[in-house]
Amino acid sequence: MKKTIKKIITLLITVGVLLSCLVFTASAAGSTISFSSNNPKVNDSVTVTVTVSSNESIFAIGFSLKYNPDVLKYESGDGTGGAGVLNVVISNNSNNVKSNKFSFVFTAIAAGSSNIQIADCNWVVGMSNEEAPFTGASASITVSDAAKSNNANLKSLSLSKGTLSPKFSASKTSYTATVPTSVTEVKVYATAKDSGATVEISGESVLKDGENIRTVTVTAPSGAQKVYTIKIIRSDLTAEPEPEVPEVNPLEITVDGASYIVLNDISGVILPAGFLVETAQYNGVDISVAKDADGNYILYYLKAADSEIATPYLLNGDTFERLQCAAIGDKIYIFADVPAELTAAEGYYETAVKIGDFSVKAFASSNSDFTDFYYVYCLYDNGYRIYRYDSKENVLQRAPEFKLVSVAEKELSEAGFLTRFKSLSANAKTVIIGLFLAAVGAVVLIVLLIVKLVKGKNAPEDDDYSDLLFEPDFDEVTVDDGDKAEEEKEPHNENQD
């Protein structure tokens, strides 16, 4: 019986080893970087969090964090140093630590971009007790200076003698005035719309005969500039005046048959989160536009002749197209197209939903219990995310539970096993075949073990017969020759006649 138990234990160990070949583990090791704010402004506090993870116990970590000291100033945290480089060295007392987090607090001191890089990375992990490198992450952060205005418009412009033509408007930068020869001096008066802007007037106030050019340069607090030009003509007014040319406003346009004005000043407009005001030109006129951090969107604001509402548009060549967005509460969401290589996971289908004035591409659940909910792809605060839209209550919320998947992976998962197997590399096919054979072998061994155990129920309990479980199942037979058989007959009686 002892031999039988030993053989059973041996078989079970063999089966366990084979089955263990079918178990796979996946782990990620290295570092990641995250920010407390993706769009900080000058004087804001920004916390940079570095996470170092391993699939084995971490005993010690050392690395450097590099940043741009012209944009960020290090205040406090888990690093030592400064001037663009912080050093971190730690050791763990426990042997069950597989992840460490480090925090670094900065103050944004100037507008610009800073690359945050984890470099010179080394750690001691697992049972080796030897130092080894690990993967260092990097990420960029952009600081904006929203406190400084880009408004370089004039509030007023006038002359001590003569009349401006056309009539002053902050959007018009070229003017003409005519005075008689008796006028020898003309002064220019100009006031900036932004109290923080500076105004510089160039040119001589004393006039010469003919044309005299005066310029007014307005510099906004942010450094943006706008130049107004005045041509003063000193001549005999008895001369025949030149015919008047009808005034044309270069910012007056027509979109889909309706008249609009392209706003050159959007200081009072509520912009989408993450957008900043910049200066651009349209039809030769400096105007203000809104631009996101990555430069994917440049928004022009148009106002209808009979409305005071500023509406955002995109300029596609020479054509204005209304921006597909929705203002819900105090937030503005821009509807974007899902990247071509991504799609919804199984259980969702592509459709469209009306949000505000727009029919937006969306995904919906195949579950009939969620017919009022749609998932849309939006840009908000410089980040593209999936949002869940409640069509019944007109609410948009972030939807971290909804995951976009690769189109190729989804198509592959929906294909049959043979199709997926054919798409694998030769090495992957070899691994799968080997695992299949190992599984078959493990099953065969289990079956044999069960058969032997069943047959052994009727075997003697004595240890001398325990080997019967694994011996051939037939009786021993002895064959003798004929002479021996005769000798075994009834003994001969010598007294018999």
Side-chain angles (χ1 to χ4, degrees), residues 355-497:
I355 304 179
D357 298 331
F358 305 102
S359 179
V360 182
K361 291 182 180 179
F363 296 105
S365 173
S366 302
N367 190 333
S368 59
D369 293 335
F370 301 99
T371 54
D372 293 332
F373 297 96
Y374 298 85
Y375 295 89
V376 295
Y377 194 60
C378 299
L379 170 66
Y380 177 74
D381 198 13
N382 288 329
Y384 289 92
R385 304 177 186 88
I386 287 288
Y387 288 81
R388 184 177 65 179
Y389 175 64
D390 185 339
S391 60
K392 191 172 183 179
E393 299 184 6
N394 191 34
V395 173
L396 268 177
Q397 291 182 321
R398 287 185 302 166
E401 76 280 2
F402 186 96
K403 303 297 183 184
L404 292 171
V405 300
S406 166
V407 173
E409 290 180 1
K410 185 176 181 181
E411 290 176 350
L412 189 59
S413 66
E414 292 174 349
F417 172 78
L418 185 58
T419 302
R420 283 180 283 170
F421 183 76
K422 289 180 179 178
S423 66
L424 298 175
S425 65
N427 288 337
K429 290 177 181 177
T430 302
V431 171
I432 289 177
I433 292 172
L435 293 174
F436 175 75
L437 293 176
V440 171
V443 171
V444 170
L445 286 174
I446 292 172
V447 171
L448 289 176
L449 175 61
I450 293 172
V451 170
K452 289 295 184 180
L453 290 175
V454 171
K455 287 186 176 182
K457 287 183 178 180
N458 298 322
E461 291 298 326
D462 191 278
D463 286 345
D464 292 338
Y465 298 98
S466 60
D467 288 341
L468 290 177
L469 285 173
F470 301 97
E471 293 297 328
D473 231 353
F474 54 83
D475 296 331
E476 182 175 342
V477 178
T478 302
V479 180
D480 296 321
D481 57 21
D483 293 338
K484 187 174 182 179
E486 288 294 332
E487 292 175 358
E488 292 179 354
K489 289 183 180 180
E490 186 176 344
H492 177 70
N493 190 347
E494 297 179 355
N495 298 322
Q496 187 176 356
D497 294 332

Side-chain angles (χ1 to χ4, degrees), residues 198-234:
T198 59
V199 177
E200 181 181 357
I201 300 173
S202 302
E204 298 292 334
S205 59
V206 176
L207 302 181
K208 63 180 181 180
D209 290 338
E211 294 184 358
N212 298 265
I213 303 298
R214 307 294 302 278
T215 59
V216 179
T217 302
V218 184
T219 304
S222 66
Q225 288 188 332
K226 194 170 187 177
V227 179
Y228 295 82
T229 303
I230 307 170
K231 182 168 65 174
I232 303 174
I233 301 175
R234 181 173 181 256

Side-chain angles (χ1 to χ4, degrees), residues 14-216:
T14 304
V15 171
V17 172
L18 290 172
L19 290 177
S20 67
C21 296
L22 303 178
V23 180
F24 293 89
T25 60
S27 61
S31 60
T32 60
I33 297 175
S34 61
F35 304 119
S36 60
S37 173
N38 290 324
N39 186 30
K41 298 176 177 57
V42 174
N43 297 324
D44 283 355
S45 177
V46 181
T47 300
V48 177
T49 302
V50 175
T51 302
V52 178
S53 302
S54 173
N55 57 353
E56 300 181 89
S57 296
I58 301 175
F59 296 101
I61 297 174
F63 65 85
S64 298
L65 186 144
K66 298 182 179 181
Y67 63 96
N68 185 350
D70 296 329
V71 175
L72 299 174
K73 177 185 176 183
Y74 180 59
E75 300 290 354
S76 62
D78 296 319
T80 59
V85 179
L86 300 176
N87 297 311
V88 177
V89 178
I90 66 104
S91 60
N92 293 317
N93 295 326
S94 172
N95 62 356
N96 196 31
V97 177
K98 295 185 178 181
S99 179
N100 286 98
K101 281 191 176 182
F102 306 90
S103 293
F104 308 89
V105 180
F106 295 88
T107 298
I109 59 175
S113 178
S114 174
N115 184 49
I116 308 295
Q117 181 184 5
I118 307 302
D120 306 322
C121 314
N122 289 283
W123 61 10
V124 178
V125 296
M127 304 298 294
S128 65
N129 288 327
E130 294 183 0
E131 186 176 292
F134 65 89
T135 303
S138 65
S140 293
I141 188 170
T142 301
V143 177
S144 60
D145 193 349
K148 293 185 178 180
S149 169
N150 288 316
N151 192 342
N153 291 322
L154 282 178
K155 182 179 180 181
S156 63
L157 179 65
S158 61
L159 303 175
S160 60
K161 296 288 180 69
T163 303
L164 293 175
S165 178
K167 185 180 178 180
F168 170 73
S169 171
S171 62
K172 298 180 177 71
T173 56
S174 297
Y175 299 89
T176 301
T178 302
V179 295
T181 54
S182 59
V183 176
T184 58
E185 183 179 13
V186 173
K187 293 182 179 180
V188 177
Y189 304 101
T191 304
K193 192 168 185 177
D194 191 313
S195 60
T198 59
V199 177
E200 181 181 357
I201 300 173
S202 302
E204 298 292 334
S205 59
V206 176
L207 302 181
K208 63 180 181 180
D209 290 338
E211 294 184 358
N212 298 265
I213 303 298
R214 307 294 302 278
T215 59
V216 179

Side-chain angles (χ1 to χ4, degrees), residues 18 332 354:
L18 290 172
I332 299 175
K354 186 173 177 59

